[in-house]
DNA sequence: TTTATATTTCGATTATAGTTGAAGCATAGG
DNA sequence: CCTATGCTTCAACTATAATCGAAATATAAA
């Protein structure tokens, strides 16, 4: 009887306020964690988890597991196009609160993520190394190019030593404040350790944040072309 | 909290199997009656009426009331585009039954609709008069052109007489088998009467169907360029 | 006028989906 | 090791929406 019940399957995923809010939140193309999406749609983490698994099952979003976080993003351009079409046909959206825009401005400058650099600095560093062709991104790993091997050796990092360790060598890690990949793993840890050795960065007491020293400011500028 | 609840409002209308089936059925761009749409989605007329009023309220479809029928169609191209986008992203449809395609073939050739011609003949006649510039469609009415006034007079129809009647002169009427407008009102009735007078058509006993005579076959060909 | 048909409205039932508290698992960080 | 956190699973509750029988309304046909 029913000619095309499949349309309803996909549409019903969008036809629920919490899920629709999650999906429109993901329209910025960036990654968001489960708890963030829960907060955005004003539901408990349990409910969010329930909805998110449905969206994943329906191939509308993807998950990436990084540590104890789950990062979600729209599955593909088709989904984004679908939501765009909806926004075009829907009544105009409500006015957003000023508080919300202020919250967005809360960004961490530089901090450690587990045992490597994160925040603006961590992402800028990774981007810099990608631009300079020291690294190449492949799936969820960063590959060290021949040019990169030369660079890291010159910079004072023993790659053969790092590769011998049992942990992952150079996996990509998602940054919760910047929403971009940055370098993790043994190589990321090697860099972080070396920055401390060079006194480019110092710990900020009691929290995970790090502070760039004057010497670091100069070094990041010269070696990595990063202006702090 | 909720950034765009409106998306969910529209999507939830599509996110129900019966409604989705109705909307995809309307994707042919033609008109369908409430009971047809009920049959297509395998629900009772009561339930269909419930869903259809929701779709109308949500501005996804339009209604036109003709007699005791309600004819529904998609509201605009945006809605059609939305459903198309859904079809593109949805899993492939199921295999359809042969019975269904046979049902589609049940079409009425010629019959009276109230007191004017309907069916394939009625629509062909109207199209012919539109092509010949005897009529011009405007909203839900047909306007008789100067060329048309001449034609009808020559054909033996007294327009001034018809215009004097209290009923609508030349409204458009939706054809349930052809799904196109055809000529109704006093003018449509005048033509029907004249066809009977000319012995172009005769009644088929007990049902509303009419039969085209040999003389009629010749007349429709010569005057209206219609091949039966 | 009466009968038949198309559609809607009302009322009640049923099914299902969203929701949350409680508990459990995995990981980070000390 | 322990504690905190992010997230999921389980179980139960609740609200809501789809459904249909019965009755009402409107129009066509006889």
């Amino acid at each position: 009887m029913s000619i095309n019940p499949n349309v309803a399957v996909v549409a019903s995923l969008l036809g629920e306020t919490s899920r629709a809010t999650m999906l429109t939140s993901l329209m910025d193309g960036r990654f968001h964690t489960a708890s963030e999406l829960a907060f955005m749609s004003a539901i408990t983490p349990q409910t969010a988890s329930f909805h998110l698994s449905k969206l994943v099952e329906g191939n509308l979003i993807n998950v990436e597991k990084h540590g104890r976080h789950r990062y979600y993003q729209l599955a593909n351009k088709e989904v984004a196009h679908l939501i765009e079409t909806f926004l075009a046909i829907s009544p105009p959206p409500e006015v957003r609160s000023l508080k919300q825009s202020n919250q967005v401005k809360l960004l961490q400058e530089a901090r450690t993520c587990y045992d490597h650099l994160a925040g603006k600095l961590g992402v800028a560093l990774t981007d810099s190394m990608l631009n300079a062709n020291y690294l190449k991104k492949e799936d969820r790993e960063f590959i060290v190019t021949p040019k990169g091997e030369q660079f890291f050796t010159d910079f004072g990092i023993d790659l053969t030593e790092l590769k011998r360790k049992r942990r992952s060598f150079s996996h990509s890690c998602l940054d919760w404040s910047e929403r971009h990949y940055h370098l993790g793993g043994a190589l990321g840890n090697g860099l972080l350790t070396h920055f401390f050795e060079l006194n480019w960065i110092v710990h900020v007491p009691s929290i995970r944040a790090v502070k760039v020293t004057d010497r670091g400011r100069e070094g990041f500028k010269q070696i990595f072309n990063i202006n702090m």
Side-chain angles (χ1 to χ4, degrees), chain A residues 83-102:
Chain A
I83 297 170
E84 255 179 37
T85 310
F86 258 114
L87 292 170
I89 208 175
S90 300
E94 298 169 8
V95 186
R96 298 174 69 176
S97 71
L98 198 62
K99 282 184 185 175
Q100 220 167 357
S101 69
N102 287 333

Side-chain angles (χ1 to χ4, degrees), chain A residues 37-100:
Chain A
L37 293 167
F39 177 77
M40 286 170 178
S41 41
I43 50 177
T44 60
Q46 301 98 292
T47 312
S49 178
F50 166 76
H51 286 309
L52 287 167
S53 61
K54 279 204 159 190
L55 291 172
V56 170
E57 195 188 2
N59 294 317
L60 293 183
I61 60 174
N62 288 331
V63 204
E64 281 196 24
K65 202 176 165 184
H66 287 266
R68 55 184 172 184
H69 295 270
R70 304 273 170 109
Y71 287 86
Y72 293 91
Q73 69 174 357
L74 293 185
N76 50 52
K77 287 177 185 175
E78 282 72 31
V79 177
H81 178 234
L82 178 69
I83 297 170
E84 255 179 37
T85 310
F86 258 114
L87 292 170
I89 208 175
S90 300
E94 298 169 8
V95 186
R96 298 174 69 176
S97 71
L98 198 62
K99 282 184 185 175
Q100 220 167 357

Side-chain angles (χ1 to χ4, degrees), chain A residues 192-203:
Chain A
L192 179 69
T193 308
H194 201 52
F195 292 146
F196 278 124
E197 288 171 358
L198 293 172
N199 202 34
W200 284 16
I201 52 175
V202 290
H203 280 293

Side-chain angles (χ1 to χ4, degrees), chain A residues 1-216:
Chain A
M1 283 302 169
S2 54
I3 296 175
N4 214 323
N6 309 319
V7 171
V9 173
V10 179
S12 64
L13 289 172
L14 273 156
E16 199 277 326
T17 315
S18 306
R19 282 197 294 262
T21 307
M22 287 176 166
L23 287 167
T24 49
S25 299
L26 289 166
M27 277 294 279
D28 60 5
R30 302 191 301 174
F31 291 90
H32 291 272
T33 66
S35 12
E36 273 180 321
L37 293 167
F39 177 77
M40 286 170 178
S41 41
I43 50 177
T44 60
Q46 301 98 292
T47 312
S49 178
F50 166 76
H51 286 309
L52 287 167
S53 61
K54 279 204 159 190
L55 291 172
V56 170
E57 195 188 2
N59 294 317
L60 293 183
I61 60 174
N62 288 331
V63 204
E64 281 196 24
K65 202 176 165 184
H66 287 266
R68 55 184 172 184
H69 295 270
R70 304 273 170 109
Y71 287 86
Y72 293 91
Q73 69 174 357
L74 293 185
N76 50 52
K77 287 177 185 175
E78 282 72 31
V79 177
H81 178 234
L82 178 69
I83 297 170
E84 255 179 37
T85 310
F86 258 114
L87 292 170
I89 208 175
S90 300
E94 298 169 8
V95 186
R96 298 174 69 176
S97 71
L98 198 62
K99 282 184 185 175
Q100 220 167 357
S101 69
N102 287 333
Q103 285 176 342
V104 177
K105 291 174 187 169
L106 291 169
L107 283 172
Q108 297 247 9
E109 282 296 320
R111 67 177 183 281
T112 56
C113 173
Y114 313 157
D115 57 358
H116 54 268
L117 265 182
K120 276 191 181 175
L121 179 59
V123 171
L125 185 74
T126 307
D127 284 349
S128 162
M129 293 187 291
L130 285 168
N131 277 329
N133 258 317
Y134 301 155
L135 297 176
K136 211 173 62 182
K137 190 171 190 311
E138 204 155 294
D139 286 326
R140 284 174 61 170
E141 271 215 295
F142 287 109
I143 310 295
V144 179
T145 63
K147 193 180 172 191
E149 294 211 20
Q150 184 65 49
F151 166 78
F152 287 120
T153 307
D154 292 348
F155 190 54
I157 290 173
D158 187 357
L159 290 178
T160 48
E161 167 77 25
L162 293 179
K163 282 178 182 165
R164 217 183 307 133
K165 293 184 176 178
R166 273 191 304 175
R167 60 178 299 191
S168 117
F169 173 60
S170 60
H171 70 257
S172 66
C173 180
L174 259 175
D175 199 297
W176 66 260
S177 60
E178 292 300 299
R179 304 313 152 82
H180 281 98
Y181 290 104
H182 62 255
L183 179 64
L187 181 56
N189 180 238
L191 273 171
L192 179 69
T193 308
H194 201 52
F195 292 146
F196 278 124
E197 288 171 358
L198 293 172
N199 202 34
W200 284 16
I201 52 175
V202 290
H203 280 293
V204 174
S206 81
I207 56 171
R208 284 193 298 149
V210 296
K211 194 173 182 300
V212 179
T213 63
D214 290 340
R215 180 182 287 189

